[in-house]
């Protein structure tokens, strides 16, 4: 963060951005504005020089074909991304971006894909395909008094196998989650988290956006305090969206073969 400007690094927005993932970046920008924090969004494409500084990193959803095409570049920038996370920079990895941020993506056929290794886990394809609304109780640190209940949408056929001692991102209230033997979802590593919750997750769950921004600013010695009057409209939209999820949470979607 330079001159009171929070830098948001969006990794592979074209290749890993098929589920409205720019919405997660937009939510961070808009929410930061309500706390009088100026933001700068940097987009990283394969082959670029990776910025040496970032305050939040976002990796969106994408298909296995994209992950395979990015193999050499993933290997090149994996260590700096892990260094960001180790230094306390929140890495927000969603959908296929979460898979790619584990140690390895194991497909149903063909060679595996080495991931960034931000999360000590592996993503194994070929689990039951889950296509449904998703309700979670998150373990990610939020602002005092914030609801830990999250809502979104789940569409994947991946089993996430967490390494020993890795904390899940959330307990599953409704949905499939990691599908690895216990009703949990995603992973947490320090201030970073990975999840298959789409929607996108941050606009639907502003309290989680606040948690990410609070972690990013605390690392820089600054307090994050959004103005409730300026967040009122955002919060209302999120409540209305959440009400829809709650109303139809048991709706059965057609499974994709």
């Amino acid at each position: 963060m330079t001159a009171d400007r929070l830098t948001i690094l969006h990794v592979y927005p074209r290749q890993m951005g098929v589920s409205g993932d720019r919405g997660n970046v937009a939510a961070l920008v808009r929410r930061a504005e309500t706390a009088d924090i100026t933001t700068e969004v940097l987009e990283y494409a394969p082959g670029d020089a990776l910025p040496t500084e970032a305050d939040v990193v976002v990796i969106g959803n994408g298909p296995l074909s994209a992950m395979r095409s990015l193999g050499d570049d993933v290997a090149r920038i994996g260590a700096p991304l892990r260094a960001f996370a180790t230094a306390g920079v929140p890495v927000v990895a969603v959908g296929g971006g979460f898979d790619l941020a584990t140690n390895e993506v194991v497909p149903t056929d063909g060679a595996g894909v080495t991931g960034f290794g931000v999360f000590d886990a592996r993503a194994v394809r070929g689990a039951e395909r889950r296509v449904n609304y998703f309700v979670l109780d998150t373990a990610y640190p939020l602002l005092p008094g914030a609801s830990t209940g999250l809502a979104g949408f789940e569409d994947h056929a991946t089993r996430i196998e967490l390494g020993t001692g890795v904390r899940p991102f959330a307990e599953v209230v409704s949905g499939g989650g990691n599908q690895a033997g216990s009703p949990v979802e995603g992973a947490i590593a320090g201030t970073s988290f990975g999840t298959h919750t789409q929607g996108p997750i941050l606009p639907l769950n502003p309290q989680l956006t606040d948690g990410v921004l609070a972690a990013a600013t605390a690392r820089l010695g600054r307090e994050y305090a959004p103005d409730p009057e300026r967040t009122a409209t955002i919060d209302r939209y999120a409540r209305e969206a959440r009400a829809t999820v709650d109303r139809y949470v048991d709706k059965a979607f057609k499974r994709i073969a």
Side-chain angles (χ1 to χ4, degrees), residues 27-28 31 142-143 146-147 149-150 200-213 224 226 231 233-239 242:
L28 290 164
R31 201 77 179 180
L142 306 177
L143 294 180
S147 171
L150 305 179
I201 186 174
L202 294 186
L204 278 174
N205 301 279
Q207 76 275 36
L208 181 59
T209 311
D210 285 342
V212 172
L213 290 170
Y224 171 72
T231 64
T233 300
I234 303 171
D235 293 341
R236 177 170 58 82
Y237 289 155
R239 284 195 303 271
R242 171 60 188 262

Side-chain angles (χ1 to χ4, degrees), residues 61-239:
N61 188 31
L64 180 61
S65 58
M67 298 181 209
R68 282 176 163 155
S69 72
L70 294 166
D72 290 342
D73 199 75
V74 169
R76 184 173 68 88
I77 69 169
L81 286 184
R82 291 193 298 275
F84 280 145
T86 299
V89 174
V91 176
V92 177
V94 179
F98 173 34
D99 296 349
L100 193 60
T102 67
N103 296 326
E104 181 185 16
V105 182
V106 182
T108 56
D109 56 65
V113 176
T114 300
F116 292 125
V118 171
F119 305 100
D120 182 16
R122 67 176 196 158
V124 181
R125 296 298 182 96
E128 176 188 358
R129 188 163 199 103
R130 304 293 306 209
V131 186
N132 42 255
Y133 290 115
F134 209 15
V135 180
L136 305 170
D137 185 18
T138 187
Y140 190 81
L142 306 177
L143 294 180
S147 171
T148 58
L150 305 179
F153 191 81
E154 178 185 31
D155 180 3
H156 70 99
T158 302
R159 182 176 74 253
I160 297 294
E161 299 176 349
L162 301 179
T164 302
V166 176
R167 282 197 305 156
F169 171 64
E171 293 185 1
V172 174
V173 177
S174 179
N178 287 351
Q179 303 191 81
S182 58
V184 298
E185 161 61 14
I188 292 175
T191 61
S192 300
F193 71 83
T195 180
H196 282 108
T197 314
Q198 300 174 32
I201 186 174
L202 294 186
L204 278 174
N205 301 279
Q207 76 275 36
L208 181 59
T209 311
D210 285 342
V212 172
L213 290 170
T217 52
R219 171 178 170 268
L220 302 166
R222 177 169 175 175
E223 182 183 5
Y224 171 72
D227 181 345
E229 290 187 3
R230 295 165 66 185
T231 64
T233 300
I234 303 171
D235 293 341
R236 177 170 58 82
Y237 289 155
R239 284 195 303 271

